[in-house]
């Protein structure tokens, strides 16, 4: 990254579009200069059902940013659900152009461009390259090989492929909003450096992000991104269950979930009475016990974790996971959800305690994580989105390729 780079990150969620604009300051840290969101229901159960609505909501968030910052936004990065992503591990050994001068930045960049040369299935397209381990010819593993005296080096990377039709839809949405796509990044990959603490970054962990209608799963073995997926269940399903079972309005169901949010009935202190104000049957002000409400919440949370458990088991990666990190607006405010997860998964589960998790509001957390992820990409010349001043005077040069073999030239 370069000081002054301005990065625009967009997260398309089930209930809203959230956009964050960050600038790389003189200390090479991300400074948020604008964050905005707008309601949207164009995404349902992980599927784009209304491009027009998503595009309009996206355009509104961009307009708010432009009005606040006096910048003209021409492009942005965007997240993608794990269900549309395939991760391919690949590595190559690269001879150094001049071993007496040491490994150059050009050597590394050329290696990254070569490591992406894999056979891509017809319905997939390349969206990202994640450099992982770099090993010198003497067997030493280094984070940054530039300047090291070595005749060759081996680079391992994760090649991120995405569903081609979904990427077309994203591109269409952005085009309708007057934007180009800078890059597409899986949600949990973007969130890794935000939701994990220092020790967890080196561990074998699964990040589980439970949102409104989707739960995203990302598995990391140290720095290696090994698996991602998503399931079409989240916090809104809990609300819907409460409304359906108790025969009450959605608004009251959501209020009760927030007020009595508890994932396990066994942790109830006082099984007090709850008066239902919107009950639709003949008894308008029906009274129930809080344990009846918690049973509904517990059942849905258990189902979510059991589906996650089945997915990780079927992939054969569950035995390698040491810890599960729980995040997302659909679950973090429900007490004991981490314990419920541990019971279903039989793996230690904790809510995210990453040092940076509190640096931004929950509504913008994924967008902010995306901006941070892009800013931290190694071996890049620039990661800036295409930005102009409102006077149309060029502020940064347009990037020559929007999805640009992903950040390398």
């Amino acid at each position: 990254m370069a000081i002054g780079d301005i990065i625009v990150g967009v997260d398309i969620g089930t209930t809203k579009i959230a956009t964050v604009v960050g600038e790389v300051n003189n200390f090479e840290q991300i400074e948020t200069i604008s964050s905005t969101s707008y309601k949207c229901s164009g995404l349902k159960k992980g599927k784009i059902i209304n491009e027009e609505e998503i595009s309009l909501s996206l355009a509104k968030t961009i307009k708010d940013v432009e009005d606040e910052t006096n910048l003209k936004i021409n492009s942005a990065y965007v997240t993608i659900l794990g269900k549309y992503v395939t991760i391919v591990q690949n590595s190559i050994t690269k001879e150094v152009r001049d071993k007496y001068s040491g490994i150059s930045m050009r050597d590394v960049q050329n290696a990254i461009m070569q490591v992406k040369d894999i056979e891509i299935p017809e319905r997939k397209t390349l969206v990202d390259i994640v450099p992982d381990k770099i090993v010198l010819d003497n067997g030493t593993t280094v984070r940054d090989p530039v300047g090291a005296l070595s005749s060759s080096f081996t680079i391992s990377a994760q090649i991120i492929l995405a569903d081609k039709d979904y990427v077309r839809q994203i591109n269409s949405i952005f085009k309708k909003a007057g934007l180009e796509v800078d890059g597409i990044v899986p949600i949990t990959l973007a969130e890794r450096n935000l939701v994990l603490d220092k020790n967890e970054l080196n561990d074998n962990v699964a990040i589980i992000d439970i949102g409104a209608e989707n739960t995203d799963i990302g598995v990391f073995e140290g720095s290696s991104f090994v698996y991602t997926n998503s399931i079409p269940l989240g916090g809104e399903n809990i609300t819907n269950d409460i409304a359906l079972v108790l025969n009450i309005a959605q608004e009251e169901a959501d209020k009760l979930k927030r007020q009595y949010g508890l994932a396990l009935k066994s942790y109830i202190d006082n099984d007090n009475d709850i008066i239902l104000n919107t009950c639709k049957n003949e008894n308008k002000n029906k009274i129930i016990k809080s344990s009846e409400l918690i049973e509904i919440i517990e059942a849905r949370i258990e189902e979510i974790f059991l589906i996650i458990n089945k997915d990780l088991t079927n992939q054969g990666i569950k035995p390698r996971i040491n810890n599960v990190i729980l995040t997302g607006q659909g679950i973090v405010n429900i007490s004991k959800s981490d314990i419920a997860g541990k019971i279903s998964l039989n793996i230690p589960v904790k809510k995210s305690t990453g040092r940076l998790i509190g640096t931004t509001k929950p509504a913008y957390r994924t967008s902010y994580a995306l901006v941070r992820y892009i800013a931290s990409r190694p071996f890049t010349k620039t990661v800036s989105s295409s930005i102009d001043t409102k006077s149309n005077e060029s502020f940064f040069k347009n990037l020559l390729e929007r999805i640009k073999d992903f950040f390398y030239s």
Side-chain angles (χ1 to χ4, degrees):
M1 63 180 164
I3 292 171
D5 274 1
I6 294 179
I7 303 163
V8 183
V10 172
D11 178 51
I12 301 174
T14 302
T15 59
K16 69 182 184 310
I17 305 288
T19 297
V20 168
V21 181
E23 182 175 10
V24 182
N25 64 23
N26 291 334
F27 301 99
E28 295 192 340
Q29 296 173 331
I30 287 294
E31 198 171 298
T32 300
I33 59 177
S34 182
S35 55
T36 183
S37 65
Y38 201 86
K39 63 182 180 180
C40 180
S41 57
L43 187 75
K44 287 292 183 186
K45 296 184 177 180
K47 294 182 179 180
I48 294 172
I49 61 170
N50 191 329
E51 287 188 19
E52 291 292 337
E53 182 176 351
I54 297 173
S55 181
L56 286 171
S57 295
L58 173 59
K60 286 172 181 174
T61 68
I62 296 299
K63 184 180 184 304
D64 287 346
V65 167
E66 292 177 338
D67 290 344
E68 181 181 353
T69 62
N70 202 36
L71 297 173
K72 176 68 173 69
I73 309 297
N74 300 314
S75 67
Y77 295 87
V78 64
T79 56
I80 185 173
L81 292 166
K83 67 184 290 184
Y84 297 109
V85 172
T86 301
I87 304 169
V88 179
Q89 308 287 336
N90 196 28
S91 63
I92 64 159
T93 298
K94 176 75 174 175
E95 297 296 322
V96 175
R97 185 177 298 180
D98 184 353
K99 64 180 180 180
Y100 299 106
S101 297
I103 299 172
S104 68
M105 179 66 80
R106 176 60 67 181
D107 288 327
V108 178
Q109 290 174 335
N110 286 341
I112 291 169
M113 292 306 295
Q114 290 177 25
V115 78
K116 74 173 178 59
D117 291 335
I118 61 170
E119 186 174 341
I120 299 176
E122 183 179 349
R123 295 185 179 181
K124 300 288 183 180
T125 186
L126 173 72
V127 294
D128 203 358
I129 309 165
V130 186
D132 190 2
K133 296 179 177 65
I134 298 177
V135 182
L136 305 181
D137 60 3
N138 62 4
T140 303
T141 300
V142 295
R143 287 178 60 88
D144 185 355
V146 176
L149 296 176
S150 181
S151 60
S152 66
F153 62 94
T154 299
I155 183 168
S156 300
Q158 285 86 57
I159 314 305
I160 311 299
L161 307 179
D163 182 275
K164 192 176 286 185
D165 289 337
Y166 189 84
V167 171
R168 282 197 193 103
Q169 285 184 291
I170 292 294
N171 280 318
S172 173
I173 288 165
F174 270 57
K175 188 174 181 180
K176 290 172 184 175
L179 299 169
E180 297 289 338
V181 177
D182 285 321
I184 300 175
V185 179
I187 289 173
T188 50
L189 177 60
E191 291 180 331
R192 177 176 177 267
N193 286 329
L194 190 72
V195 304
L196 300 185
D197 65 29
K198 188 174 181 180
N199 294 328
E200 291 160 353
L201 287 169
N202 300 312
D203 199 2
N204 290 1
V205 301
I207 296 173
I208 297 177
D209 182 339
I210 301 181
E213 287 187 5
N214 288 289
T215 293
D216 243 67
I217 306 163
V219 180
F220 298 85
E221 294 183 350
S223 60
S224 300
F225 187 34
V226 298
Y227 178 69
T228 187
N229 196 6
S230 52
I231 60 174
L233 292 173
E236 286 294 310
N237 297 94
I238 299 172
T239 302
N240 293 341
D241 290 347
I242 295 170
L244 181 64
V245 174
L246 300 181
N247 200 23
I248 58 176
Q250 288 283 128
E251 294 78 8
E252 184 176 17
D254 187 60
K255 182 180 178 181
L256 290 175
K257 181 182 75 172
R258 296 174 187 277
Q259 185 176 352
Y260 294 91
L262 183 64
L264 293 166
K265 190 173 71 169
S266 57
Y267 281 86
I268 293 176
D269 290 327
N270 298 303
D271 195 6
N272 55 301
D273 291 339
I274 300 174
I275 300 175
L276 304 179
N277 298 314
T278 62
C279 196
K280 298 172 185 176
N281 60 25
E282 66 284 350
N283 188 1
K284 186 177 180 181
N285 293 320
K286 183 179 178 181
I287 298 175
I288 65 166
K289 290 291 187 180
S290 58
S291 56
E292 297 177 61
L293 172 66
I294 306 307
E295 278 184 352
I296 300 168
I297 298 173
E298 181 176 348
R300 179 61 81 174
I301 289 177
E302 181 182 21
E303 181 193 18
I304 291 172
F305 281 119
L306 288 176
I307 292 173
I308 293 168
N309 183 66
K310 183 177 180 181
D311 183 57
L312 295 176
T313 301
N314 289 344
Q315 294 298 321
I317 56 177
K318 184 185 170 185
R320 309 203 300 269
I321 299 171
N322 297 328
N323 289 287
V324 173
I325 310 302
L326 201 57
T327 187
Q329 286 184 272
I331 197 72
V332 292
N333 292 324
I334 297 180
S335 181
K336 308 302 180 184
S337 53
D338 49 345
I339 298 175
K342 182 179 179 180
I343 292 170
S344 296
L345 297 173
N346 197 28
I347 304 173
V349 177
K350 58 172 280 193
K351 293 181 181 179
S352 173
T353 56
R355 182 175 59 87
L356 298 170
I357 197 72
T359 56
T360 190
K361 294 179 181 179
Y364 302 110
R365 197 162 285 162
T366 301
S367 300
Y368 176 68
L370 173 60
V371 170
R372 282 185 52 83
Y373 168 78
I374 295 300
S376 68
R377 303 233 9 152
F379 317 118
T380 56
K381 289 182 178 180
T382 178
V383 292
S384 181
S385 297
S386 177
I387 310 289
D388 295 323
T389 62
K390 279 293 184 74
S391 62
N392 292 324
E393 188 178 331
S394 178
F395 193 73
F396 283 100
K397 289 191 302 182
N398 285 336
L399 300 176
L400 294 178
E401 300 173 27
R402 293 295 87 204
I403 304 178
K404 43 192 178 306
D405 277 338
F406 293 74
F407 324 132
Y408 303 100
S409 57

